[in-house]
């Protein structure tokens, strides 16, 4: 449930802002580590330079002698406690001031190493500036000396490094907040707002999926979010159509259920009449009556199920081996093709069914299901050929562990729309009078028997559907 109040945990924008600040601070840490080491080195080099200038005063003085007050003043100005110069193998203490008796650490700036510089800097920060250190370096202007060393109180170095660290910290915070703000605004307008729009559309569509006004209207963006908007709009439209289709199926089921009782009564009357026809001695009448009784029995069963396809509760198949050739002859009679073949001399276009199935071919499936499957396929083909006439051929063969039943016709082929929506209720109609339920029922019944039905080809030479079913041994 959306409350309109976004917290740091639930708001994507807030998370992006915090993550940006954290990432910038991490980058600043990597910048700060070498910079504090370089700052420390620069500080010490400045002290060495100042100490060397102070030492020059002693060198230029008569007999290299100056007063103690001047020496302390020069050392205080240089910020060191003592200065010494190395001449060859001999070290000379030039200015000692109040040099301490104990040295806590010694450093040499002549051979700098980045890891050593970083380590020395953090040692200074960790020690808190409590100690005396000796720093050796190379003189800037050689006066014959090879090395200059100074002794200084580390507290001044620590204070300078601490001030530098605070300035870097403040500057890092300012940069991170400013950068995070810019990134936040950019992401907010480029990503977060479109994502919120998509989210609102999904929530609104979930509440009323049948309302087309709740579907998202895609923008003209060409990036990933634009693709997501267009795909979401397409998905919402397909889902809305599917829901409407399901509602229509439910209405069809309800309508058929209402007429089921009366239709069963009518079929019962027809069945009684057929029974009386069976009492006539004419063999042809008896044969026609027998076929009529079989057709009425199947119609009664279908009425009892009341088009259960819409409720997706077809009864489970009762598989057994049966003669496919004989079943196809019943399909011929149920579709009415036998009468057309008997009246072939009247000159009107006729549809002929070629039963090319071997007379002893046994198919393992539910006979009632397969009767409905073949009747739908043959009737669809006959409807297409009724104006021009043509042939419908049914063949069957066994390959490996599967049976393949092919239903072919010599019609003009299926339309592009029909091919794209095959086996989809109310969309896969193959004729002007069709509803599209026939092929959907075919697919469901074949799948219920463990097989599948596919369109092998459909062009100007005709259309062929292939039914693949497992053999009885494999089941």
């Amino acid at each position: 449930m959306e409350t309109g109040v976004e917290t740091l945990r639930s708001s994507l924008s807030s998370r992006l802002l915090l993550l940006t600040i954290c990432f910038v601070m991490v980058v600043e840490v990597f910048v700060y580590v070498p910079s504090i080491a370089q700052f420390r080195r620069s500080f010490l080099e400045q002290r060495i330079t100042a100490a060397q200038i102070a030492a020059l005063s002693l060198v230029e003085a008569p007999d290299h002698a100056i007063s103690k007050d001047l020496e302390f003043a020069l050392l205080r100005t240089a910020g060191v406690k003592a200065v010494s110069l190395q001449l060859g193998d001999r070290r000379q203490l030039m200015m000692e001031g109040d040099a301490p008796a104990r040295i806590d650490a010694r450093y040499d700036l002549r051979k700098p190493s980045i890891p050593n510089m970083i380590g020395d800097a953090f040692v200074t920060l960790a020690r808190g500036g409590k100690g005396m250190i000796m720093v050796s370096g190379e003189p800037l202007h050689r006066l014959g000396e090879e090395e200059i060393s100074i002794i200084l109180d580390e507290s001044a170095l620590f204070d300078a490094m601490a001030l530098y660290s605070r300035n870097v910290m403040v500057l890092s915070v300012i940069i991170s907040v400013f950068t995070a703000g810019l990134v936040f605004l950019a992401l907010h307008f480029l990503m977060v707002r479109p994502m919120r729009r998509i989210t609102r559309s999904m929530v609104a569509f979930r509440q009323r999926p049948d309302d087309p006004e709740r579907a998202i209207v895609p923008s003209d963006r060409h990036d990933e979010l634009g693709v997501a908007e267009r795909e979401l709009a397409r998905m919402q439209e397909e889902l809305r159509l599917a829901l409407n289709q399901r509602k229509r199926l439910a209405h069809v089921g309800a309508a058929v259920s209402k007429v089921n009782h009366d239709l069963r009564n009518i079929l019962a009357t027809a069945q009684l009449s057929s029974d009386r026809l069976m009492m006539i001695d004419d063999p042809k009448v008896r044969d026609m009556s027998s076929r009529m009784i079989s057709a009425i029995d199947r119609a009664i069963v279908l009425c009892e199920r009341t088009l259960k396809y819409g409720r997706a509760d077809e009864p489970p198949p009762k598989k057994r081996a049966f003669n496919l050739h004989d079943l196809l002859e019943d399909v011929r009679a149920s579709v009415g093709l036998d009468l057309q073949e008997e009246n072939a001399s009247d000159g009107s276009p006729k549809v002929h069914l070629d039963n090319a199935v071997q007379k002893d071919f046994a198919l393992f499936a539910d006979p009632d299901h397969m009767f409905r499957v073949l009747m739908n396929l043959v009737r669809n083909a006959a409807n297409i050929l009724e104006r021009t006439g043509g042939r419908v051929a049914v063949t069957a063969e066994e390959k490996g562990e599967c049976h393949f039943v092919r239903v072919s016709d010599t019609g003009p082929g299926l339309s592009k729309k029909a091919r794209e929506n095959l086996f989809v209720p109310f969309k896969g109609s193959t004729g002007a009078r069709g509803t599209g339920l026939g092929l959907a029922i075919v697919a469901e019944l074949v799948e219920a028997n463990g097989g599948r039905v596919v369109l092998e080809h459909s062009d100007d030479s005709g259309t062929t559907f292939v039914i693949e079913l497992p053999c009885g041994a494999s089941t």
Side-chain angles (χ1 to χ4, degrees):
M1 177 183 295
E2 291 192 352
T3 61
V5 179
E6 296 181 343
T7 64
L8 291 179
R9 294 182 58 188
S10 62
S11 171
L12 180 60
S13 301
S14 301
R15 292 182 181 180
L16 289 174
L17 180 63
L18 293 177
L19 284 175
T20 305
I21 292 176
C22 293
F23 291 155
V24 173
M25 291 300 295
V26 170
V27 173
E28 290 293 338
V29 169
F30 284 102
V31 174
Y32 166 76
V33 170
S35 66
I36 189 64
Q38 183 60 40
F39 175 81
R40 176 182 177 277
R41 176 180 174 81
S42 299
F43 180 90
L44 295 177
E45 287 178 344
Q46 291 174 3
R47 288 293 186 272
I48 290 177
T49 301
Q52 185 176 1
I53 293 173
L56 288 176
S57 300
L58 181 61
V59 172
E60 296 297 330
D63 299 328
H64 292 203
I66 59 174
S67 66
K68 281 292 183 182
D69 292 338
L70 179 58
E71 181 178 342
F72 277 110
L74 290 174
L75 292 173
R76 190 165 49 252
T77 302
V80 299
K81 298 294 185 181
V83 181
S84 66
L85 297 175
Q86 174 124 10
L87 302 173
D89 296 334
R90 183 171 59 87
R91 178 179 293 276
Q92 181 180 359
L93 186 61
M94 299 293 296
M95 305 174 71
E96 58 180 345
D98 54 353
R102 179 173 175 269
I103 303 299
D104 295 294
R106 300 175 185 270
Y107 302 103
D108 191 344
L109 302 182
R110 289 173 296 178
K111 297 179 180 179
S113 167
I114 293 179
N116 290 338
M117 290 172 56
I118 294 175
D120 293 342
F122 282 97
V123 168
T124 300
L125 291 175
R127 195 159 44 224
K130 298 177 181 179
M132 291 292 173
I133 60 174
M134 175 180 285
V135 182
S136 300
E138 188 175 293
L140 299 179
H141 302 285
R142 292 185 176 275
L143 298 173
E145 65 273 9
E146 299 177 357
E147 177 186 315
I148 181 172
S149 298
I150 60 174
I151 298 174
L152 70 155
D153 190 349
E154 200 176 25
S155 61
L157 175 60
F158 173 80
D159 292 340
M161 294 176 64
L163 178 60
Y164 177 82
S165 300
R166 285 194 295 270
N167 292 338
V168 170
M169 177 64 69
V170 172
L171 183 61
S172 299
V173 172
I174 294 174
I175 292 175
S176 63
V177 172
F178 182 73
T179 304
L182 293 179
V183 173
F184 170 79
L185 292 176
L187 293 178
H188 179 76
F189 286 102
L190 292 177
M191 295 182 60
V192 176
R193 287 184 63 182
M195 286 298 297
R196 287 179 179 173
R197 179 169 173 265
I198 292 175
T199 303
R200 286 195 297 268
S201 175
M202 294 173 65
V203 173
F205 185 80
R206 178 181 59 82
Q207 295 172 347
R208 289 284 304 278
D210 58 337
D211 186 1
E213 298 295 330
R214 301 293 184 98
I216 189 173
V217 179
S219 63
D220 56 354
R221 297 177 58 146
H222 299 288
D223 55 8
E224 289 80 359
L225 286 175
V227 174
E229 290 177 348
R230 288 188 288 274
E231 291 299 323
L232 176 61
R234 187 178 296 111
M235 181 185 67
Q236 290 176 335
E237 178 65 17
E238 292 176 355
L239 181 58
R240 187 178 64 83
L241 293 177
L243 291 175
N244 290 338
Q245 176 180 305
R246 183 176 179 181
K247 186 183 296 184
R248 292 174 62 187
L249 282 172
H251 292 165
V252 170
V256 173
S257 297
K258 292 178 181 179
V259 301
N260 177 56
H261 182 268
D262 293 338
L263 185 58
R264 287 181 62 192
N265 290 338
I266 295 173
L267 291 173
T269 302
Q271 190 175 31
L272 291 175
S273 300
S274 300
D275 291 339
R276 293 181 179 179
L277 288 175
M278 289 289 293
M279 300 172 62
I280 300 177
D281 293 335
D282 190 337
K284 189 172 184 178
V285 173
R286 285 178 174 273
D287 181 61
M288 295 296 297
S289 300
S290 176
R291 293 185 179 182
M292 184 182 301
I293 291 174
S294 298
I296 292 174
D297 289 340
R298 291 192 180 97
I300 291 175
V301 172
L302 290 177
C303 289
E304 289 175 348
R305 293 173 181 170
T306 61
L307 198 58
K308 291 181 179 179
Y309 174 81
R311 297 197 301 269
D313 57 353
E314 284 284 353
K318 298 178 181 179
K319 296 183 180 182
R320 62 179 178 85
F322 63 92
N323 188 290
L324 181 60
H325 184 277
D326 294 343
L327 182 73
L328 194 57
E329 291 301 317
D330 291 341
V331 171
R332 183 202 302 270
S334 298
V335 179
L337 298 184
D338 56 341
L339 296 178
Q340 289 193 33
E341 294 171 357
E342 290 178 2
N343 300 324
S345 60
D346 61 3
S348 60
K350 302 299 180 183
V351 179
H352 298 276
L353 175 62
D354 295 335
N355 187 352
V357 179
Q358 298 179 3
K359 292 186 177 182
D360 59 348
F361 189 89
L363 189 68
F364 187 82
D366 187 313
D368 290 335
H369 285 182
M370 291 309 300
F371 177 85
R372 294 169 62 186
V373 167
L374 292 173
M375 186 174 65
N376 275 296
L377 292 177
V378 172
R379 179 181 287 126
N380 285 345
N383 290 338
I384 293 175
L385 297 171
E386 64 180 354
R387 292 185 179 181
T388 60
R391 310 191 76 83
V392 181
V394 181
T395 61
E397 61 178 339
E398 180 178 343
K399 285 185 178 181
E401 297 182 349
C402 292
H403 287 149
F404 294 88
V405 181
R406 283 179 170 80
V407 180
S408 306
D409 63 62
T410 59
L414 303 178
S415 65
K416 180 180 179 181
K417 179 182 178 182
R419 291 196 303 269
E420 292 176 350
N421 298 281
L422 281 178
F423 315 120
V424 180
F426 299 114
K427 285 189 176 182
S429 174
T430 58
R433 297 179 302 176
T435 62
L437 278 175
L439 289 178
I441 293 174
V442 167
E444 181 183 4
L445 293 177
V446 173
E447 290 176 1
N449 283 269
R452 62 172 184 154
V453 57
V454 296
L455 177 65
E456 188 173 64
H457 79 272
S458 182
D459 50 32
D460 295 340
S461 63
T463 300
T464 299
F465 285 94
V466 180
I467 302 169
E468 179 182 349
L469 290 169
C471 298
S474 63
T475 57

